[in-house]
Amino acid sequence: MTKKAMHASQNLGQKKANEVQTKKASQKSDFTAKLLEKILKRITPSEEEKKKELAVVKGIIKRISSIKGKHIKAMLCGSLARDTHLRGEQDFDIFVLFDKELPRGEFEQLGLKIGIEALKGYEHWLEYSEHPYVKGIVDGYEVEIVPCYKVSKACLLKSSVDRSPFHARFIQKNIRPEQKKEVRLLKAFMKGIGCYGADIASEGFSGYLAELLILKYGTFLDCVKAASQWTPGLKIALNEAHLKKCKATSTLVFPDPTDPKRNVASAVSLEQFSRFVFACKKFLERPSEKFFLGAKQKIPTQISLLLKERHVIAVCLRFERDEAKDTVLGQMKRLKNLISQELEKNEFKVFASSIANTDKDVYCFLELERNSLGKLAKVIGPPVFDEKNVKAFLKKHKRVVSGPRIENDRIVVVEKRKKLYAREFVNDLILFLSKQGKEPIKSMLKKAVILEKRGLVKRCKKPEFAHELARFLIGRERFL
């Protein structure tokens, strides 16, 4: 074969390969488009549903308007106000605006009074964030009535919730009708992979941040493509000039367009950022429903099978209605870290740890390499040349099984352990924190229950607990 013929043959082969690649890309694009349409049908509320939701909101706002007081007006905020909410999201945020000159004490008192009166006749209770507010159930919907100050600019706010009306107005003004479905897809994606929510427990992406990401990138797919290339420390903005005003340094920085000094993404942890980026990569490789709905994990009916030859400890606490769940979950996360550190310090290797909660309970799960230690421990002391610390070491370690002796340049002894079981270390830490810790978890720890194998299996009679424990034991990302 001549060189010319070989060259022509190679070109023909390359052309065919390119055609096959183009065809595959086109098929994948068609499949993705059909998948997203299918997901949208599932997650978008119907016009009838929206009408019913807005009717409930209008009824509550009408009640608030009829109450005599110093409030200026009530307005709907949150995703329902922006028409970016998902089907089945049955929670409404109604904000009651007060004059910014109203003293804080009176502001809180009047805010609660209005909330209680507006929800009179319905089940309602107090919740606590930066300040107390009223939450209730109206016709099956969860309604929050939150007092806030009416300020002229977001940068002049007097409480953190004062910025919510600014967020609502900004998105309503700037989002295009066709982008609302893109926001819904992004929110469903974030929920499906488990990184949605900016509360202390979730440490993920807020609904407002999801909306801003669509304003930034235009569509869900373009956002996913961009995010698949993100790295920690990324700084992005709707207006590049905002980056100069926002001095924040965190895993992800996105200045709030209503107050550029504030980072909307400050809650996003490295873990949740990494989860989102990795899920975006995987979605582009192989699009699937499981990214939006979470993979259907088979929960074994016999939890004892999952626990066999594994060492798991659970610390169980009970919520009280007047406690701020967000605060408790944040404290529980810190408790989880403290327990892990205490166990690692005492030679227990922690494989995994997690917190989970139901309506009434919050749990801290830990899996260990082993749950008990040998009866003897080797204790390595200071170098023999450190006279002061050697004396202190020998004074402290008098009752030894073996030693003291010198190994290399250090004093070494072998002695009996005072505690052998992981449960003992966890119990002692909880006992200490129930006396020295911070409320509200301090009081909750006094009634803490520590469970191991038999106790875990017995508690699994409660379906919600069994589900959370099984998810922890399976330990697989929802989208993999």
Side-chain angles (χ1 to χ4, degrees):
M1 186 182 287
T2 64
K3 285 185 178 180
K4 190 175 181 181
M6 284 179 66
H7 186 65
S9 177
Q10 286 173 352
N11 285 343
L12 183 62
Q14 185 62 50
K15 186 180 178 182
K16 285 183 177 178
N18 289 342
E19 286 174 355
V20 169
Q21 203 170 10
T22 302
K23 188 178 179 180
K24 282 183 178 179
S26 177
Q27 288 173 341
K28 189 175 182 181
S29 178
D30 290 344
F31 173 80
T32 304
K34 288 177 182 176
L35 171 67
L36 296 184
E37 282 300 319
K38 183 180 178 182
I39 296 298
L40 269 172
K41 286 178 182 177
R42 289 191 187 185
I43 65 174
T44 306
S46 67
E47 290 305 315
E48 189 180 331
E49 287 169 327
K50 289 181 191 177
K51 210 179 271 186
K52 187 179 176 184
E53 291 161 353
L54 290 172
V56 171
V57 170
K58 284 177 183 177
I60 298 297
I61 290 177
K62 189 177 180 181
R63 278 192 173 203
I64 293 171
S65 301
S66 67
I67 298 169
K68 292 181 180 179
K70 295 184 179 181
H71 52 295
I72 299 167
K73 67 171 183 175
M75 66 178 286
L76 175 67
C77 292
S79 57
L80 178 61
R82 277 104 84 163
D83 191 22
T84 61
H85 63 303
L86 303 180
R87 174 178 281 169
E89 283 186 346
Q90 297 185 319
D91 54 308
F92 310 146
D93 305 323
I94 297 173
F95 283 71
V96 182
L97 281 66
F98 290 87
D99 188 279
K100 66 180 187 298
E101 302 302 327
L102 192 69
R104 184 60 177 247
E106 190 177 0
F107 160 80
E108 291 186 8
Q109 187 181 8
L110 291 175
L112 289 179
K113 180 176 177 289
I114 288 169
I116 291 167
E117 281 192 42
L119 295 177
K120 192 175 180 181
Y122 298 104
E123 181 190 0
H124 62 273
W125 60 92
L126 299 189
E127 290 277 356
Y128 298 85
S129 184
E130 184 178 327
H131 53 69
Y133 61 95
V134 182
K135 195 171 189 175
I137 305 294
V138 179
D139 298 342
Y141 298 102
E142 206 169 75
V143 179
E144 292 183 359
I145 299 180
V146 185
C148 72
Y149 285 105
K150 184 183 180 183
V151 291
S152 57
K153 294 179 182 178
C155 59
L156 300 175
L157 54 89
K158 296 183 71 175
S159 75
S160 60
V161 297
D162 297 348
R163 59 170 57 94
S164 294
F166 289 92
H167 292 169
R169 287 190 287 264
F170 180 83
I171 297 299
Q172 287 167 340
K173 182 181 177 182
N174 290 281
I175 196 166
R176 299 194 304 273
E178 67 271 17
Q179 287 182 315
K180 292 176 181 180
K181 66 178 183 180
E182 306 296 335
V183 172
R184 286 191 169 100
L185 285 170
L186 184 56
K187 285 183 177 181
F189 182 84
M190 289 173 168
K191 280 195 169 189
I193 65 173
C195 72
Y196 187 76
D199 53 278
I200 299 171
S202 303
E203 293 184 327
F205 295 73
S206 67
Y208 180 51
L209 178 54
E211 290 163 343
L212 293 179
L213 286 170
I214 293 301
L215 291 182
K216 170 72 177 174
Y217 294 111
T219 68
F220 165 73
L221 271 180
D222 286 336
C223 178
V224 167
K225 287 172 186 175
S228 70
Q229 302 303 311
W230 285 357
T231 53
L234 177 74
K235 295 186 178 184
I236 50 177
L238 290 181
N239 184 336
E240 294 301 310
H242 290 170
L243 291 173
K244 294 178 181 178
K245 295 180 180 179
C246 187
K247 304 299 180 185
T249 54
S250 58
T251 304
L252 176 63
V253 174
F254 198 130
D256 187 340
T258 70
D259 181 9
K261 291 181 180 179
R262 173 182 175 260
N263 177 22
V264 179
S266 61
V268 181
S269 67
L270 177 61
E271 183 176 312
Q272 291 289 44
F273 178 87
S274 304
R275 180 168 286 114
F276 180 62
V277 173
F278 189 63
C280 287
K281 291 178 188 288
K282 288 295 177 185
F283 179 80
L284 293 173
E285 286 175 14
R286 183 176 284 187
S288 164
E289 286 184 29
K290 66 184 178 184
F291 288 90
F292 301 91
L293 307 173
K296 291 180 180 178
Q297 293 182 333
K298 290 183 179 178
I299 305 300
T301 52
Q302 293 293 324
I303 298 293
S304 55
L305 295 177
L306 283 178
L307 288 168
K308 193 177 181 182
E309 296 180 3
R310 295 172 73 172
H311 305 291
V312 175
I313 289 180
V315 178
C316 308
L317 305 181
R318 173 57 58 102
F319 279 122
E320 296 296 335
R321 174 144 272 188
D322 61 348
E323 289 159 353
K325 263 191 183 179
D326 195 32
T327 302
V328 171
L329 291 172
Q331 290 181 324
M332 198 68 175
K333 209 153 200 172
R334 287 189 285 274
L335 175 66
K336 179 199 74 172
N337 294 336
L338 284 173
I339 293 173
S340 297
Q341 289 165 16
E342 182 69 10
L343 290 171
E344 291 277 4
K345 187 175 77 177
N346 288 284
E347 301 179 47
F348 290 97
K349 187 173 181 61
V350 180
F351 284 163
S353 62
S354 178
I355 62 165
N357 69 283
T358 60
D359 286 341
K360 294 181 179 179
D361 301 289
V362 57
Y363 313 107
C364 172
F365 297 119
L366 300 109
E367 182 171 8
L368 315 178
E369 182 180 34
R370 53 182 175 169
N371 62 0
S372 63
L373 301 168
K375 292 182 179 180
L376 303 180
K378 181 179 180 179
V379 187
I380 299 172
V384 295
F385 311 105
D386 186 349
E387 190 176 340
K388 183 180 177 182
N389 284 319
V390 166
K391 282 183 179 179
F393 180 82
L394 292 173
K395 187 178 180 180
K396 184 179 178 182
H397 299 276
K398 286 182 178 179
R399 295 184 178 182
V400 298
V401 174
S402 172
R405 62 177 178 272
I406 297 169
E407 289 187 6
N408 294 318
D409 65 336
R410 291 182 176 269
I411 293 289
V412 173
V413 299
V414 175
E415 61 185 12
K416 286 185 178 180
R417 295 183 191 275
K418 292 178 181 176
K419 289 182 280 191
L420 302 180
Y421 300 98
R423 183 190 183 107
E424 294 177 274
F425 291 95
V426 175
N427 188 66
D428 286 353
L429 180 61
I430 286 175
L431 191 61
F432 171 78
L433 293 173
S434 70
K435 295 175 182 176
Q436 305 293 328
K438 292 183 178 180
E439 295 292 3
I441 203 170
K442 178 182 173 182
S443 299
M444 293 170 69
L445 285 170
K446 291 174 182 174
K447 299 176 184 177
V449 177
I450 302 171
L451 302 174
E452 290 184 277
K453 277 187 179 173
R454 286 184 181 177
L456 290 169
V457 172
K458 191 175 179 181
R459 180 64 71 101
C460 282
K461 289 177 182 177
K462 295 184 176 182
E464 287 180 320
F465 178 82
H467 180 79
E468 294 298 342
L469 177 58
R471 274 184 59 183
F472 173 72
L473 292 170
I474 292 167
R476 189 181 180 90
E477 291 291 340
R478 299 180 192 181
F479 56 91
L480 293 177

